Amino acid sequence: MKTHPLAALDTQARVLSCPRDHALEVVGGDWYRVISGLVRRCAFFSDGRRQIVSFMFPGDLFGFGNAEDGFPISAESVVRGTVVARYPRRAVDRLMASEPAAGEQIRALAFQWMHQTEARLLNVGRMTAAERVGAFLLELAQRSAASGTPDIAVQMSRYDIADYLALSVETVSRTLTRLQEQGAIALPSAHQVRIADREALAAQL
Amino acid sequence: MKTHPLAALDTQARVLSCPRDHALEVVGGDWYRVISGLVRRCAFFSDGRRQIVSFMFPGDLFGFGNAEDGFPISAESVVRGTVVARYPRRAVDRLMASEPAAGEQIRALAFQWMHQTEARLLNVGRMTAAERVGAFLLELAQRSAASGTPDIAVQMSRYDIADYLALSVETVSRTLTRLQEQGAIALPSAHQVRIADREALAAQL
DNA sequence: CGCGCGTTTGACCATACTCAAAGAATGTGG
DNA sequence: CCACATTCTTTGAGTATGGTCAAACGCGCG
């Protein structure tokens, strides 16, 4: 397992273990790292509309200067057994001051992260429902890669997917069904997807 | 005028002066600062769909690690007389190494920037046309603040606005007209907006 | 001054949303 | 361990918001 930029601080990290659908208290400035499970970062409108800004998978780092201005983005565990390590701001600051390489790594991460977020603007803004779902599945496949099975474990609910892609639950469900009918994917169960025809899925962008 | 984080490097900056609708060559790693005019950063689909990721106003810094992976985001001048300073990567790296304060400032900028981008996900994903246009005008008002007039100079075209908000040009135009009819704004000319009823505009989120 | 592009408006259409309900799965308590 | 309840998922029917196509208008630029 590759070491992460904050590995040196693991002894100072506080580990949080969460049940399902549990809001993490995100302290501004502190850094977080998903150890296992799945975390969603989301924003809410007063009227209930929700937008999931990102899913954080094991190994992912987040907490880059949270939400002073603008409106808050909360972090919530998606599945039970989600474990998150919290790195105190001071320790991170000290590390970055003393270890330029770590600062560099984190900076690189932030840039990569930024780019991903900007790419999501395209998804949400300019893609059709089928394209969004397709791109989402490919993203899932890539991030949850490795494990020998060609089946992707879709841990989050249809509601989560909908709020991630800025669609309605019904549209997500219908779109998955249609992709299956077209032979692009197979759905052994509601929470497992097998990509049958990668080309068909990628027939976008 | 407040000094910016890269002020110390101004002597090493290369200044680019651009006509209207001119693509800047963005060198990965280098940093850019808008001196005057207006810059749009955008991504294109192969079929012509365009998404403007951000508008950069005078004083704004951009270029945080551009687009190695994923697809490219280009930067283009919007109005003639746009002037941009380019700071070579090496110089910035050296500055950040020698001046921790500068690094800190840039980091803070990046975080702020990130948050703005994430907020845009909401706009584009979960808001109605009227809400998007309203939020856009308020954003414009805030960024182009100061100048005594209550009239906002809308420098970009309706097409740019449309691709920024992920709407069609027609919808942008119609929405502006309707906001005017409702008395929320006044449109002295196509490129000037006066916010008549801030509350009405902000009646969202 | 005139041409071209940007803007506005209208009519029609399509995609995705809403409302509704049935069926499946997951978790709970007896 | 099973029965029940709740939540999640799927499907259908109708609707609405915003997109597309088309055309007129007006401003700005050459």
Side-chain angles (χ1 to χ4, degrees):
Chain A
M1 173 133 182
K2 221 187 119 222
T3 66
H4 61 279
L6 299 182
L9 302 178
D10 278 350
T11 57
Q12 298 171 65
R14 185 137 303 171
V15 172
L16 310 164
S17 195
C18 306
R20 205 172 85 110
D21 292 324
H22 182 79
L24 309 175
E25 284 193 36
V26 174
V27 178
D30 282 1
W31 289 68
Y32 298 81
R33 182 166 168 269
V34 180
I35 306 293
S36 68
L38 182 61
V39 170
R40 62 173 173 250
R41 294 178 55 245
C42 41
F44 295 89
F45 284 65
S46 42
D47 64 4
R49 280 177 289 182
R50 182 179 69 152
Q51 173 71 46
I52 294 183
V53 162
S54 65
F55 286 114
M56 308 301 296
F57 292 87
D60 287 346
L61 221 53
F62 68 97
F64 323 99
N66 261 290
E68 305 78 22
D69 57 345
F71 45 81
I73 293 182
S74 72
E76 306 171 0
S77 61
V78 175
V79 299
R80 83 192 166 81
T82 294
V83 178
V84 175
R86 182 163 73 83
Y87 300 87
R89 178 198 194 114
R90 308 198 161 201
V92 177
D93 283 349
R94 256 181 286 132
L95 177 71
M96 304 219 333
S98 65
E99 281 286 355
E104 184 74 26
Q105 256 184 301
I106 290 176
R107 205 145 43 91
L109 260 180
F111 292 159
Q112 182 187 329
W113 180 252
M114 183 93 81
H115 196 256
Q116 265 185 40
T117 307
E118 289 179 339
R120 256 172 71 51
L121 267 180
L122 289 215
N123 276 282
V124 159
R126 289 304 192 188
M127 283 178 147
T128 66
E131 289 172 325
R132 290 185 220 187
V133 172
F136 171 70
L137 292 177
L138 291 174
E139 186 189 334
L140 261 194
Q142 194 176 355
R143 302 203 76 180
S144 65
S147 44
T149 357
D151 285 1
I152 307 166
V154 180
Q155 306 193 62
M156 63 291 280
S157 73
R158 297 289 190 266
Y159 285 90
D160 285 334
I161 299 175
D163 286 340
Y164 182 69
L165 299 178
L167 294 170
S168 70
V169 201
E170 294 93 330
T171 300
V172 170
S173 182
R174 271 187 261 271
T175 304
L176 284 169
T177 304
R178 193 158 321 141
L179 286 174
Q180 184 181 31
E181 288 167 359
Q182 295 170 354
I185 62 173
L187 289 162
S189 84
H191 291 277
Q192 266 188 323
V193 176
R194 171 171 220 152
I195 295 182
D197 185 352
R198 195 174 210 89
E199 302 309 317
L201 263 193
Q204 43 236 0
L205 171 71
Chain B
M1 174 130 183
K2 222 186 117 219
T3 65
H4 62 278
L6 299 182
L9 301 180
D10 278 349
T11 57
Q12 297 171 64
R14 185 136 304 171
V15 172
L16 310 165
S17 194
C18 308
R20 205 171 87 110
D21 292 323
H22 181 79
L24 309 175
E25 285 193 36
V26 175
V27 178
D30 282 1
W31 289 68
Y32 298 81
R33 181 166 169 270
V34 179
I35 306 293
S36 68
L38 182 62
V39 171
R40 62 175 173 250
R41 293 179 54 245
C42 41
F44 295 88
F45 285 65
S46 43
D47 64 5
R49 281 177 289 183
R50 182 179 71 151
Q51 174 72 45
I52 294 183
V53 161
S54 65
F55 286 115
M56 308 301 295
F57 292 87
D60 288 347
L61 222 53
F62 67 96
F64 325 97
N66 262 290
E68 306 77 23
D69 57 346
F71 45 80
I73 293 183
S74 72
E76 307 172 358
S77 61
V78 175
V79 298
R80 82 192 167 83
T82 294
V83 178
V84 175
R86 183 162 73 84
Y87 299 87
R89 177 198 196 114
R90 307 198 160 199
V92 177
D93 282 349
R94 257 182 284 131
L95 177 71
M96 303 219 334
S98 65
E99 282 285 355
E104 183 74 27
Q105 256 183 301
I106 290 175
R107 202 145 45 89
L109 261 180
F111 291 161
Q112 182 187 329
W113 180 248
M114 184 94 81
H115 195 258
Q116 265 185 40
T117 307
E118 289 179 339
R120 257 172 72 50
L121 266 179
L122 289 217
N123 277 282
V124 158
R126 286 308 191 185
M127 282 177 149
T128 65
E131 289 173 326
R132 288 185 221 187
V133 172
F136 172 70
L137 292 178
L138 291 173
E139 185 188 334
L140 261 194
Q142 196 176 353
R143 302 202 78 179
S144 64
S147 44
T149 357
D151 286 1
I152 308 165
V154 181
Q155 305 193 61
M156 62 290 281
S157 74
R158 296 288 188 268
Y159 285 91
D160 285 336
I161 299 176
D163 286 340
Y164 181 69
L165 300 177
L167 294 171
S168 70
V169 201
E170 295 92 330
T171 299
V172 170
S173 182
R174 270 188 262 271
T175 304
L176 285 169
T177 305
R178 193 160 320 139
L179 286 174
Q180 184 180 29
E181 288 167 359
Q182 295 171 354
I185 61 172
L187 290 163
S189 84
H191 290 277
Q192 267 189 321
V193 176
R194 171 171 221 153
I195 295 182
D197 185 352
R198 195 175 211 90
E199 303 309 316
L201 264 192
Q204 43 235 358
L205 171 71

mmCIF file of all heavy atoms in Angstrom, chain A residues 128-129 170-171 174, chain C residues 16-20:
data_model
loop_
_atom_site.group_PDB
_atom_site.id
_atom_site.type_symbol
_atom_site.label_atom_id
_atom_site.label_comp_id
_atom_site.label_asym_id
_atom_site.label_seq_id
_atom_site.Cartn_x
_atom_site.Cartn_y
_atom_site.Cartn_z
ATOM 1 N N THR A 128 -26.298 14.640 -20.968
ATOM 2 C CA THR A 128 -27.623 14.045 -20.856
ATOM 3 C C THR A 128 -27.619 13.044 -19.713
ATOM 4 O O THR A 128 -26.562 12.678 -19.191
ATOM 5 C CB THR A 128 -27.992 13.299 -22.138
ATOM 6 O OG1 THR A 128 -27.105 12.181 -22.259
ATOM 7 C CG2 THR A 128 -27.855 14.189 -23.356
ATOM 8 N N ALA A 129 -28.794 12.581 -19.359
ATOM 9 C CA ALA A 129 -28.904 11.631 -18.247
ATOM 10 C C ALA A 129 -28.062 10.381 -18.523
ATOM 11 O O ALA A 129 -27.309 9.926 -17.658
ATOM 12 C CB ALA A 129 -30.362 11.253 -18.027
ATOM 13 N N GLU A 170 -35.754 8.670 -10.055
ATOM 14 C CA GLU A 170 -36.452 7.927 -11.097
ATOM 15 C C GLU A 170 -35.659 7.909 -12.398
ATOM 16 O O GLU A 170 -35.550 6.874 -13.054
ATOM 17 C CB GLU A 170 -37.828 8.549 -11.351
ATOM 18 C CG GLU A 170 -38.793 8.444 -10.186
ATOM 19 C CD GLU A 170 -38.743 9.678 -9.299
ATOM 20 O OE1 GLU A 170 -37.663 10.306 -9.213
ATOM 21 O OE2 GLU A 170 -39.775 10.020 -8.696
ATOM 22 N N THR A 171 -35.098 9.038 -12.739
ATOM 23 C CA THR A 171 -34.322 9.106 -13.969
ATOM 24 C C THR A 171 -33.086 8.214 -13.883
ATOM 25 O O THR A 171 -32.729 7.536 -14.848
ATOM 26 C CB THR A 171 -33.919 10.555 -14.285
ATOM 27 O OG1 THR A 171 -35.098 11.331 -14.442
ATOM 28 C CG2 THR A 171 -33.095 10.632 -15.552
ATOM 29 N N ARG A 174 -34.355 4.584 -14.273
ATOM 30 C CA ARG A 174 -34.747 4.346 -15.668
ATOM 31 C C ARG A 174 -33.535 4.253 -16.569
ATOM 32 O O ARG A 174 -33.466 3.382 -17.448
ATOM 33 C CB ARG A 174 -35.623 5.515 -16.150
ATOM 34 C CG ARG A 174 -37.075 5.321 -15.900
ATOM 35 C CD ARG A 174 -37.854 6.438 -16.571
ATOM 36 N NE ARG A 174 -38.222 7.479 -15.641
ATOM 37 C CZ ARG A 174 -39.344 7.476 -14.939
ATOM 38 N NH1 ARG A 174 -40.193 6.487 -15.066
ATOM 39 N NH2 ARG A 174 -39.625 8.457 -14.107
ATOM 40 P P DA C 16 -32.127 13.760 -20.421
ATOM 41 O OP1 DA C 16 -30.699 14.111 -20.322
ATOM 42 O OP2 DA C 16 -32.538 12.381 -20.762
ATOM 43 O "O5'" DA C 16 -32.836 14.158 -19.046
ATOM 44 C "C5'" DA C 16 -32.868 15.514 -18.665
ATOM 45 C "C4'" DA C 16 -34.004 15.754 -17.707
ATOM 46 O "O4'" DA C 16 -35.276 15.552 -18.371
ATOM 47 C "C3'" DA C 16 -34.009 14.822 -16.483
ATOM 48 O "O3'" DA C 16 -34.156 15.631 -15.345
ATOM 49 C "C2'" DA C 16 -35.216 13.931 -16.747
ATOM 50 C "C1'" DA C 16 -36.139 14.897 -17.474
ATOM 51 N N9 DA C 16 -37.225 14.292 -18.239
ATOM 52 C C8 DA C 16 -37.171 13.216 -19.075
ATOM 53 N N7 DA C 16 -38.325 12.897 -19.622
ATOM 54 C C5 DA C 16 -39.206 13.837 -19.107
ATOM 55 C C6 DA C 16 -40.582 14.047 -19.290
ATOM 56 N N6 DA C 16 -41.348 13.301 -20.076
ATOM 57 N N1 DA C 16 -41.155 15.083 -18.626
ATOM 58 C C2 DA C 16 -40.382 15.845 -17.833
ATOM 59 N N3 DA C 16 -39.085 15.736 -17.579
ATOM 60 C C4 DA C 16 -38.543 14.702 -18.255
ATOM 61 P P DC C 17 -34.245 15.085 -13.886
ATOM 62 O OP1 DC C 17 -33.229 15.798 -13.099
ATOM 63 O OP2 DC C 17 -34.269 13.611 -13.908
ATOM 64 O "O5'" DC C 17 -35.682 15.637 -13.438
ATOM 65 C "C5'" DC C 17 -35.976 17.025 -13.614
ATOM 66 C "C4'" DC C 17 -37.369 17.331 -13.097
ATOM 67 O "O4'" DC C 17 -38.344 16.779 -14.003
ATOM 68 C "C3'" DC C 17 -37.666 16.748 -11.721
ATOM 69 O "O3'" DC C 17 -38.360 17.707 -10.933
ATOM 70 C "C2'" DC C 17 -38.515 15.523 -12.020
ATOM 71 C "C1'" DC C 17 -39.234 15.925 -13.297
ATOM 72 N N1 DC C 17 -39.547 14.772 -14.195
ATOM 73 C C2 DC C 17 -40.868 14.571 -14.637
ATOM 74 O O2 DC C 17 -41.741 15.348 -14.267
ATOM 75 N N3 DC C 17 -41.132 13.518 -15.457
ATOM 76 C C4 DC C 17 -40.154 12.703 -15.832
ATOM 77 N N4 DC C 17 -40.467 11.687 -16.641
ATOM 78 C C5 DC C 17 -38.795 12.897 -15.397
ATOM 79 C C6 DC C 17 -38.549 13.929 -14.582
ATOM 80 P P DT C 18 -38.780 17.346 -9.416
ATOM 81 O OP1 DT C 18 -38.658 18.601 -8.661
ATOM 82 O OP2 DT C 18 -38.065 16.125 -8.983
ATOM 83 O "O5'" DT C 18 -40.327 16.959 -9.514
ATOM 84 C "C5'" DT C 18 -41.226 17.804 -10.209
ATOM 85 C "C4'" DT C 18 -42.633 17.228 -10.156
ATOM 86 O "O4'" DT C 18 -42.775 16.187 -11.145
ATOM 87 C "C3'" DT C 18 -43.026 16.611 -8.810
ATOM 88 O "O3'" DT C 18 -44.306 17.114 -8.446
ATOM 89 C "C2'" DT C 18 -43.067 15.104 -9.076
ATOM 90 C "C1'" DT C 18 -43.383 15.047 -10.566
ATOM 91 N N1 DT C 18 -42.834 13.872 -11.294
ATOM 92 C C2 DT C 18 -43.650 13.146 -12.128
ATOM 93 O O2 DT C 18 -44.823 13.419 -12.297
ATOM 94 N N3 DT C 18 -43.044 12.094 -12.778
ATOM 95 C C4 DT C 18 -41.720 11.706 -12.658
ATOM 96 O O4 DT C 18 -41.302 10.752 -13.286
ATOM 97 C C5 DT C 18 -40.919 12.505 -11.756
ATOM 98 C C7 DT C 18 -39.478 12.154 -11.560
ATOM 99 C C6 DT C 18 -41.503 13.538 -11.127
ATOM 100 P P DC C 19 -44.912 16.835 -7.015
ATOM 101 O OP1 DC C 19 -45.667 18.053 -6.639
ATOM 102 O OP2 DC C 19 -43.855 16.303 -6.144
ATOM 103 O "O5'" DC C 19 -45.960 15.664 -7.301
ATOM 104 C "C5'" DC C 19 -46.904 15.814 -8.364
ATOM 105 C "C4'" DC C 19 -47.603 14.486 -8.644
ATOM 106 O "O4'" DC C 19 -46.726 13.625 -9.396
ATOM 107 C "C3'" DC C 19 -48.010 13.707 -7.391
ATOM 108 O "O3'" DC C 19 -49.355 13.273 -7.550
ATOM 109 C "C2'" DC C 19 -47.034 12.540 -7.359
ATOM 110 C "C1'" DC C 19 -46.806 12.321 -8.860
ATOM 111 N N1 DC C 19 -45.562 11.609 -9.202
ATOM 112 C C2 DC C 19 -45.576 10.631 -10.204
ATOM 113 O O2 DC C 19 -46.642 10.380 -10.778
ATOM 114 N N3 DC C 19 -44.434 9.985 -10.520
ATOM 115 C C4 DC C 19 -43.305 10.288 -9.873
ATOM 116 N N4 DC C 19 -42.197 9.632 -10.219
ATOM 117 C C5 DC C 19 -43.263 11.275 -8.848
ATOM 118 C C6 DC C 19 -44.405 11.907 -8.547
ATOM 119 P P DA C 20 -50.127 12.545 -6.344
ATOM 120 O OP1 DA C 20 -51.552 12.966 -6.449
ATOM 121 O OP2 DA C 20 -49.386 12.753 -5.084
ATOM 122 O "O5'" DA C 20 -50.016 11.012 -6.746
ATOM 123 C "C5'" DA C 20 -50.415 10.595 -8.049
ATOM 124 C "C4'" DA C 20 -50.160 9.112 -8.227
ATOM 125 O "O4'" DA C 20 -48.792 8.901 -8.642
ATOM 126 C "C3'" DA C 20 -50.359 8.273 -6.957
ATOM 127 O "O3'" DA C 20 -51.211 7.188 -7.240
ATOM 128 C "C2'" DA C 20 -48.956 7.818 -6.615
ATOM 129 C "C1'" DA C 20 -48.321 7.746 -7.993
ATOM 130 N N9 DA C 20 -46.862 7.789 -7.990
ATOM 131 C C8 DA C 20 -46.043 8.620 -7.273
ATOM 132 N N7 DA C 20 -44.760 8.412 -7.470
ATOM 133 C C5 DA C 20 -44.730 7.363 -8.377
ATOM 134 C C6 DA C 20 -43.680 6.670 -8.993
ATOM 135 N N6 DA C 20 -42.393 6.949 -8.774
ATOM 136 N N1 DA C 20 -44.000 5.676 -9.858
ATOM 137 C C2 DA C 20 -45.294 5.410 -10.068
ATOM 138 N N3 DA C 20 -46.381 5.987 -9.551
ATOM 139 C C4 DA C 20 -46.020 6.971 -8.706
#
